[in-house]
mmCIF file of all heavy atoms in Angstrom:
data_model
loop_
_atom_site.group_PDB
_atom_site.id
_atom_site.type_symbol
_atom_site.label_atom_id
_atom_site.label_comp_id
_atom_site.label_asym_id
_atom_site.label_seq_id
_atom_site.Cartn_x
_atom_site.Cartn_y
_atom_site.Cartn_z
ATOM 1 N N TYR A 155 -63.661 57.105 26.494
ATOM 2 C CA TYR A 155 -62.980 56.168 25.604
ATOM 3 C C TYR A 155 -61.583 56.700 25.271
ATOM 4 O O TYR A 155 -61.387 57.361 24.251
ATOM 5 C CB TYR A 155 -63.808 55.985 24.329
ATOM 6 C CG TYR A 155 -65.198 55.463 24.618
ATOM 7 C CD1 TYR A 155 -66.259 56.331 24.845
ATOM 8 C CD2 TYR A 155 -65.430 54.097 24.710
ATOM 9 C CE1 TYR A 155 -67.523 55.854 25.131
ATOM 10 C CE2 TYR A 155 -66.692 53.608 24.991
ATOM 11 C CZ TYR A 155 -67.742 54.489 25.209
ATOM 12 O OH TYR A 155 -68.995 54.021 25.499
ATOM 13 N N PRO A 156 -60.624 56.363 26.105
ATOM 14 C CA PRO A 156 -59.276 56.877 25.857
ATOM 15 C C PRO A 156 -58.598 56.168 24.702
ATOM 16 O O PRO A 156 -58.986 55.059 24.319
ATOM 17 C CB PRO A 156 -58.547 56.578 27.167
ATOM 18 C CG PRO A 156 -59.224 55.343 27.681
ATOM 19 C CD PRO A 156 -60.670 55.511 27.306
ATOM 20 N N SER A 157 -57.583 56.802 24.154
ATOM 21 C CA SER A 157 -56.657 56.125 23.260
ATOM 22 C C SER A 157 -55.577 55.483 24.125
ATOM 23 O O SER A 157 -55.213 56.019 25.172
ATOM 24 C CB SER A 157 -56.025 57.120 22.282
ATOM 25 O OG SER A 157 -57.005 57.652 21.417
ATOM 26 N N LEU A 158 -55.063 54.367 23.658
ATOM 27 C CA LEU A 158 -54.072 53.618 24.441
ATOM 28 C C LEU A 158 -52.781 53.482 23.640
ATOM 29 O O LEU A 158 -52.823 53.321 22.418
ATOM 30 C CB LEU A 158 -54.616 52.243 24.821
ATOM 31 C CG LEU A 158 -55.918 52.245 25.611
ATOM 32 C CD1 LEU A 158 -56.428 50.822 25.816
ATOM 33 C CD2 LEU A 158 -55.727 52.928 26.960
ATOM 34 N N ALA A 175 -53.712 52.197 19.896
ATOM 35 C CA ALA A 175 -55.060 51.801 19.494
ATOM 36 C C ALA A 175 -56.015 52.877 19.982
ATOM 37 O O ALA A 175 -55.885 53.362 21.105
ATOM 38 C CB ALA A 175 -55.436 50.446 20.080
ATOM 39 N N THR A 176 -56.934 53.264 19.152
ATOM 40 C CA THR A 176 -57.780 54.405 19.488
ATOM 41 C C THR A 176 -59.210 54.041 19.851
ATOM 42 O O THR A 176 -59.958 54.892 20.344
ATOM 43 C CB THR A 176 -57.800 55.421 18.336
ATOM 44 O OG1 THR A 176 -58.266 54.748 17.165
ATOM 45 C CG2 THR A 176 -56.409 55.980 18.084
ATOM 46 N N LYS A 177 -59.612 52.782 19.625
ATOM 47 C CA LYS A 177 -60.968 52.409 20.020
ATOM 48 C C LYS A 177 -61.007 50.930 20.350
ATOM 49 O O LYS A 177 -60.110 50.156 20.014
ATOM 50 C CB LYS A 177 -61.974 52.749 18.928
ATOM 51 C CG LYS A 177 -61.766 52.069 17.613
ATOM 52 C CD LYS A 177 -62.807 52.533 16.600
ATOM 53 C CE LYS A 177 -62.729 51.768 15.293
ATOM 54 N NZ LYS A 177 -61.455 51.990 14.593
ATOM 55 N N ALA A 178 -62.084 50.564 21.000
ATOM 56 C CA ALA A 178 -62.246 49.192 21.484
ATOM 57 C C ALA A 178 -62.095 48.188 20.345
ATOM 58 O O ALA A 178 -62.571 48.410 19.232
ATOM 59 C CB ALA A 178 -63.598 49.045 22.154
ATOM 60 N N ASP A 179 -61.394 47.102 20.654
ATOM 61 C CA ASP A 179 -61.128 45.975 19.756
ATOM 62 C C ASP A 179 -60.079 46.284 18.687
ATOM 63 O O ASP A 179 -59.738 45.393 17.909
ATOM 64 C CB ASP A 179 -62.416 45.471 19.094
ATOM 65 C CG ASP A 179 -63.424 44.976 20.115
ATOM 66 O OD1 ASP A 179 -62.996 44.416 21.143
ATOM 67 O OD2 ASP A 179 -64.622 45.186 19.901
ATOM 68 N N ASP A 180 -59.588 47.505 18.651
ATOM 69 C CA ASP A 180 -58.480 47.818 17.749
ATOM 70 C C ASP A 180 -57.245 47.044 18.192
ATOM 71 O O ASP A 180 -57.003 46.873 19.386
ATOM 72 C CB ASP A 180 -58.155 49.312 17.793
ATOM 73 C CG ASP A 180 -58.892 50.085 16.719
ATOM 74 O OD1 ASP A 180 -59.692 49.478 15.991
ATOM 75 O OD2 ASP A 180 -58.655 51.305 16.623
ATOM 76 N N LYS A 181 -56.451 46.641 17.237
ATOM 77 C CA LYS A 181 -55.159 46.017 17.543
ATOM 78 C C LYS A 181 -54.061 46.897 16.977
ATOM 79 O O LYS A 181 -54.043 47.173 15.776
ATOM 80 C CB LYS A 181 -55.064 44.618 16.949
ATOM 81 C CG LYS A 181 -53.711 43.946 17.186
ATOM 82 C CD LYS A 181 -53.595 42.610 16.472
ATOM 83 C CE LYS A 181 -54.373 41.535 17.157
ATOM 84 N NZ LYS A 181 -54.133 40.195 16.570
ATOM 85 N N THR A 190 -54.058 44.614 21.979
ATOM 86 C CA THR A 190 -55.453 44.778 21.599
ATOM 87 C C THR A 190 -56.198 45.547 22.682
ATOM 88 O O THR A 190 -56.091 45.233 23.872
ATOM 89 C CB THR A 190 -56.131 43.410 21.381
ATOM 90 O OG1 THR A 190 -55.428 42.723 20.350
ATOM 91 C CG2 THR A 190 -57.590 43.594 20.970
ATOM 92 N N TYR A 191 -56.934 46.538 22.263
ATOM 93 C CA TYR A 191 -57.724 47.407 23.160
ATOM 94 C C TYR A 191 -58.949 46.613 23.607
ATOM 95 O O TYR A 191 -59.881 46.380 22.841
ATOM 96 C CB TYR A 191 -58.139 48.639 22.363
ATOM 97 C CG TYR A 191 -58.766 49.777 23.119
ATOM 98 C CD1 TYR A 191 -58.465 51.077 22.754
ATOM 99 C CD2 TYR A 191 -59.691 49.608 24.139
ATOM 100 C CE1 TYR A 191 -59.049 52.171 23.370
ATOM 101 C CE2 TYR A 191 -60.265 50.678 24.772
ATOM 102 C CZ TYR A 191 -59.961 51.961 24.385
ATOM 103 O OH TYR A 191 -60.536 53.037 25.002
ATOM 104 N N ARG A 192 -58.961 46.205 24.861
ATOM 105 C CA ARG A 192 -60.066 45.425 25.412
ATOM 106 C C ARG A 192 -60.839 46.289 26.410
ATOM 107 O O ARG A 192 -60.416 46.481 27.546
ATOM 108 C CB ARG A 192 -59.549 44.178 26.136
ATOM 109 C CG ARG A 192 -58.745 43.234 25.276
ATOM 110 C CD ARG A 192 -59.599 42.479 24.316
ATOM 111 N NE ARG A 192 -58.823 41.440 23.620
ATOM 112 C CZ ARG A 192 -59.208 40.875 22.492
ATOM 113 N NH1 ARG A 192 -60.349 41.253 21.902
ATOM 114 N NH2 ARG A 192 -58.466 39.927 21.935
#
Side-chain angles (χ1 to χ4, degrees):
Chain A
Y155 301 90
S157 295
L158 302 175
T176 58
K177 61 182 186 296
D179 299 326
D180 267 3
K181 177 186 285 187
T190 301
Y191 190 142
R192 301 287 188 199

